[in-house]
Structure formats: C-alpha cells, structure tokens
Amino acid sequence: DQQVKQNSPSLSVQEGRISILNCDYTNSMFDYFLWYKKYPAEGPTFLISISSIKDKNEDGRFTVFLNKSAKHLSLHIVPSQPGDSAVYFCAASDGAGGTSYGKLTFGQGTILTVHP
Amino acid sequence: KAGVTQTPRYLIKTRGQQVTLSCSPISGHRSVSWYQQTPGQGLQFLFEYFSETQRNKGNFPGRFSGRQFSNSRSEMNVSTLELGDSALYLCASSPGQGPSEAFFGQGTRLTVV
C-alpha cells in the first residue's frame, strides 16, 4: 500500500523555465510534508517543507503548494537551472500525538533533468 | 555545524554474516531514523530512536535491529545477511520533538555477495 505517490518517473525542462513536480498521498493523518533532492549514492538533501495548516511555503526558487482536500502537493522550481537535475522525493509524516515525526514515508521519486 | 556522519561508506559482506553500521547525528539532535534504499522498493523506513528508545518501527524482519547511545549516536545491525539486503542504508537526524526537517547522512552502501 503506497501511501505517497509520485506518478511521474521523470520530467524534462528547459533552463530558465518552471519545473513542477507532483505528489499525491492517501493517508489523511499526514500533517507534515517535505521535499528532498538526491544524487546517486548520496543521502537526500532537504529542500523545503510545509505543515498541513498552510497551503503554500516559499524559499527562494522553491515553492511548495499543499491541497489538503485533494491530498496533493507540488514543488515549483523557478527558474530551473541545470544544477537542479537530480531525483526529487516527496515525503510525509504523521504527528500522532507528537511522537511520529521521525518516521517519513517517501514517494518513489521523480528524475528531473534541466537542459541548458 | 557538522552534518550527519555515517560509517563506513562502503561495505562488502558474505551471505550469512552480520554487519553493524554507525550514524552520528547533528549535535543537539536526539532523534535518529534509519532507511533502506533499493532500486525496486525506494526509500523505506526501518526504525527511529529517540533518547535511547526505539520510538517507531517499520515493516522489516527481526534480523534488522538498532540501538542508540546516550550521546545520540546510533548503530544498526543486520544479522544473517541475505543477498536482498544489498542496499544503500541512510540515517537521518532531527531534533525529535514536533515537526521538523530530517537531515540525512551520505549513506552506507552495503553489498552482500
């Protein structure tokens, strides 16, 4: 039972344009969401997060949108740069009384390629 | 501030052996979580330790175990290794209370032959 899904295995974008990565979840108890960037044979690097009490969070070129009713979140990267090429994972956690934020459920990842 | 450190980076073991991986979290972080990444299954949660106690556990067999020390450093042990245990093992540290980002180490690449 995959509770977090990234339905697009890959995305190709031109440098300078917007990259939009999507993520859907099924567990309505999830209340904290994160995006990570990962290169092969390295650990994921944290990009941005959002709490379920918000619908948008921005940090520089990265913006995450959360639509709770649709159980959908997206990561927008504007403008995209060749250095953004990597695998992007969305992850979710369920507070469950404040003890379960240490458990992240990950999507399968989306390979982003930004062409110069 | 030093990041999350995992040792060793690479390991080759034979089926049936056991292995211990180590993780030193960011200073001040009390939660350490372990994940397994394989091409077929993606990133899967193994367990989380907080203040020397296992707080969360994923769906892995009992051959996978861990512990945490009083300085928050954590170890993960896999006994009776199987070929399918070949994977990148990642640990992540976080403050441990309330929602916050988890910071990952570089991982340990385990190959079982």
Side-chain angles (χ1 to χ4, degrees):
Chain A
D1 173 30
Q2 203 173 341
Q3 298 185 61
V4 178
K5 295 180 185 179
Q6 293 177 254
N7 292 316
S8 298
S10 63
L11 174 67
S12 184
V13 169
Q14 208 65 32
E15 182 179 7
R17 307 295 290 269
I18 184 171
S19 294
I20 300 176
L21 297 112
N22 294 303
C23 180
D24 297 297
Y25 61 96
T26 57
N27 187 343
S28 57
M29 297 300 292
F30 286 146
D31 61 359
Y32 191 64
F33 303 87
L34 309 91
W35 283 94
Y36 286 87
K37 173 182 176 181
K38 188 179 184 302
Y39 296 110
E42 291 186 10
T45 300
F46 170 76
L47 287 173
I48 193 168
S49 62
I50 188 166
S51 164
S52 62
I53 62 174
K54 296 185 174 182
D55 54 20
K56 178 182 174 182
N57 189 26
E58 280 182 86
D59 185 359
R61 297 187 298 115
F62 302 94
T63 302
V64 56
F65 295 91
L66 175 62
N67 182 333
K68 289 187 293 294
S69 60
K71 293 191 178 69
H72 176 84
L73 64 153
S74 61
L75 174 69
H76 292 208
I77 306 173
V78 184
S80 301
Q81 301 171 353
D84 296 329
S85 298
V87 181
Y88 287 77
F89 290 94
C90 69
S93 62
D94 146 23
T99 62
S100 296
Y101 289 114
K103 174 182 177 181
L104 294 177
T105 301
F106 283 86
Q108 292 294 92
T110 297
I111 302 170
L112 173 65
T113 304
V114 180
H115 299 284
Chain B
K1 204 175 195 183
V4 179
T5 304
Q6 289 188 247
T7 55
R9 288 293 311 277
Y10 303 93
L11 210 45
I12 300 175
K13 289 286 188 178
T14 304
R15 262 185 309 174
Q17 287 187 313
Q18 74 157 10
V19 67
T20 299
L21 312 181
S22 180
C23 174
S24 293
I26 290 170
S27 177
H29 284 186
R30 293 166 64 191
S31 167
V32 174
S33 299
W34 289 88
Y35 296 83
Q36 180 196 66
Q37 186 184 25
T38 57
Q41 297 296 320
L43 275 154
Q44 293 197 294
F45 173 78
L46 281 153
F47 31 66
E48 180 211 7
Y49 285 85
F50 176 79
S51 292
E52 302 178 67
T53 302
Q54 188 179 86
R55 188 163 68 170
N56 281 292
K57 189 176 187 306
N59 297 322
F60 278 80
R63 299 185 297 106
F64 292 82
S65 63
R67 58 178 176 167
Q68 186 180 37
F69 302 94
S70 58
N71 61 358
S72 293
R73 189 177 72 85
S74 177
E75 286 182 349
M76 190 191 98
N77 185 278
V78 188
S79 62
T80 320
L81 284 165
E82 300 176 0
L83 295 179
D85 297 332
S86 295
L88 180 66
Y89 289 89
L90 294 156
C91 84
S93 82
S94 63
Q97 289 173 315
S100 65
E101 52 267 31
F103 295 93
F104 284 81
Q106 296 277 66
T108 294
R109 168 66 65 182
L110 171 65
T111 303
V112 182
V113 297

